[in-house]
Amino acid sequence: MPSLKDLKLQINSVGSTKKITSAMKMVAASKLRRSQEQAESAKPYSARLEEMLSSLSSNIISDDKILRLLTGTGRKDKYLVVPVTADRGLCGGFNSSINRETVKYIRKLEKENKEINLMTIGKKSRDFFSRIMKNKISESFIDLGSTNLKYENILKISNKIQSLYYDGNFDVCVLIYNKFKTAISQEVTPQQIIPLEQKKISSEEKKNENSIYTYEPDENEILRDLLPKNVSIQIFKILLESNAGEQGARMAAMDNATRNAGEMIDNLTLKYNRTRQAFITKELIEIISGAESV
């Protein structure tokens, strides 16, 4: 049986941990609000850009190097897989779910005899895949800023991906990230950014679409300008959603940890009181026994 001093120390220790997790929960909640606003404001722009590029692509047939971001290389033999995780932990299963789904995706591609390369974003994916697939990692990006993510930082990633594509290092690029749904819910989502996935338009939607657009300059020039930017915009949107999901997951994890610490303190306090009562009862019995023996 632990002594009263040991139980008191344990209660104080858990109490200190509870204060830390409670503070981290409030910090994460504050960061979540800002990250959520940024993620939601980026969605309409990126979605509309994809729609416009898809509509422009209907009559494009070209071997232009930049236009291959849209049309593809004609093959799907080499894949660049980009897992997007956080730089820090203490956010529940946020990082492990990405790493786990990325491994499943890679194993699936390997069964189809595809060649795989990895580009990790975030320390948690870099450290994880450095242990199990170090030979597949071509590049890693860390410390991009979880709450102050800047478009300039994304350009480094975008330029590197496009450079590898133009050099023929891969045919398809897929990012795997946690899509932000609510403050306590994220969904692991793969998104292909090269070549741009063509959204299928139903016959009903075609009937409802009566607008006629005239583009100036011509479609090819617009695509040459917008396609590289679209890669950057999609990566930026994905990282903003990932950051919002990270803060939501951390807030939920710290909330659970705070509640668990509170329950542990209650249990330890009850145990402390029972142990203290047992010691008092034992001392009284010893005093009474001693008095009776005199």
Side-chain angles (χ1 to χ4, degrees):
M1 179 182 292
S3 65
L4 291 175
K5 183 179 180 181
D6 292 337
L7 288 170
K8 194 66 176 177
L9 288 173
Q10 197 171 357
I11 290 171
N12 292 337
S13 176
V14 176
S16 299
T17 302
K18 182 182 178 182
K19 290 179 182 178
I20 294 170
T21 56
S22 179
M24 290 184 68
K25 173 192 169 184
M26 289 188 287
V27 171
S30 175
K31 291 181 178 179
L32 170 63
R33 184 168 58 252
R34 198 180 326 146
S35 300
Q36 185 175 355
E37 289 172 357
Q38 291 176 333
E40 290 178 348
S41 63
K43 280 183 181 179
Y45 181 80
S46 63
R48 194 69 188 96
L49 180 59
E50 279 190 303
E51 289 176 13
M52 188 183 73
L53 291 174
S54 295
S55 67
L56 280 170
S57 68
S58 55
N59 298 320
I60 297 298
I61 300 174
S62 174
D63 289 331
D64 186 284
K65 183 172 72 171
I66 294 178
L67 294 185
R68 285 207 301 271
L69 290 171
L70 178 66
T71 59
T73 62
R75 302 181 304 275
K76 290 187 177 181
D77 300 326
K78 301 177 182 178
Y79 277 72
L80 179 66
V81 180
V82 186
V84 180
T85 61
D87 289 318
R88 299 168 56 207
L90 297 176
C91 47
F94 180 85
N95 295 313
S96 59
S97 61
I98 290 291
N99 293 333
R100 183 169 57 252
E101 290 302 318
T102 302
V103 170
K104 287 182 181 178
Y105 187 75
I106 291 173
R107 299 303 183 206
K108 178 185 173 184
L109 292 176
E110 287 178 337
K111 288 181 181 178
E112 298 172 2
N113 297 319
K114 307 296 185 182
E115 184 180 328
I116 312 297
N117 281 315
L118 277 167
M119 177 182 288
T120 61
I121 298 178
K123 289 181 181 177
K124 294 302 178 180
S125 61
R126 182 200 64 181
D127 296 345
F128 178 81
F129 287 103
S130 292
R131 292 194 299 269
I132 64 172
M133 298 181 183
K134 188 174 183 179
N135 60 319
K136 294 184 183 295
I137 299 177
S138 60
E139 194 79 22
S140 294
F141 292 91
I142 61 172
D143 296 327
L144 296 175
S146 59
T147 55
N148 191 27
L149 184 65
K150 295 182 179 179
Y151 184 71
E152 292 77 13
N153 295 337
I154 302 306
L155 288 176
K156 299 176 184 177
I157 303 174
S158 176
N159 292 338
K160 183 62 179 179
I161 289 175
Q162 292 182 56
S163 175
L164 291 172
Y165 182 63
Y166 297 145
D167 291 341
N169 289 288
F170 66 89
D171 303 315
V172 179
C173 177
V174 177
L175 274 74
I176 301 178
Y177 70 105
N178 267 311
K179 186 175 184 179
F180 181 80
K181 298 182 74 176
T182 66
I184 58 173
S185 175
Q186 303 86 35
E187 180 183 1
V188 178
T189 305
Q191 180 174 333
Q192 179 179 310
I193 60 170
I194 298 177
L196 179 65
E197 285 187 301
Q198 304 296 312
K199 294 185 177 180
K200 295 181 180 179
I201 302 175
S202 65
S203 57
E204 188 66 28
E205 289 175 326
K206 287 181 180 178
K207 290 179 183 178
N208 296 332
E209 182 55 70
N210 297 318
S211 302
I212 298 174
Y213 297 98
T214 301
Y215 294 98
E216 178 66 31
D218 63 34
E219 287 89 340
N220 281 7
E221 284 193 51
I222 293 174
L223 286 171
R224 287 191 191 94
D225 183 60
L226 289 185
L227 282 171
K229 292 181 181 178
N230 177 63
V231 174
S232 303
I233 291 295
Q234 298 307 322
I235 295 173
F236 190 42
K237 184 262 296 183
I238 285 171
L239 263 72
L240 287 175
E241 287 205 43
S242 179
N243 287 342
E246 176 193 348
Q247 300 305 330
R250 180 169 290 113
M251 184 184 71
M254 292 301 101
D255 181 53
N256 289 333
T258 302
R259 285 203 305 269
N260 291 339
E263 291 175 5
M264 186 177 290
I265 288 173
D266 291 341
N267 293 334
L268 287 171
T269 302
L270 180 61
K271 189 175 182 180
Y272 174 85
N273 290 335
R274 286 177 175 173
T275 303
R276 180 170 172 271
Q277 186 63 47
F279 278 123
I280 293 172
T281 302
K282 182 181 177 182
E283 288 176 359
L284 285 173
I285 292 172
E286 289 176 354
I287 292 171
I288 294 169
S289 298
E292 288 179 348
S293 64
V294 173

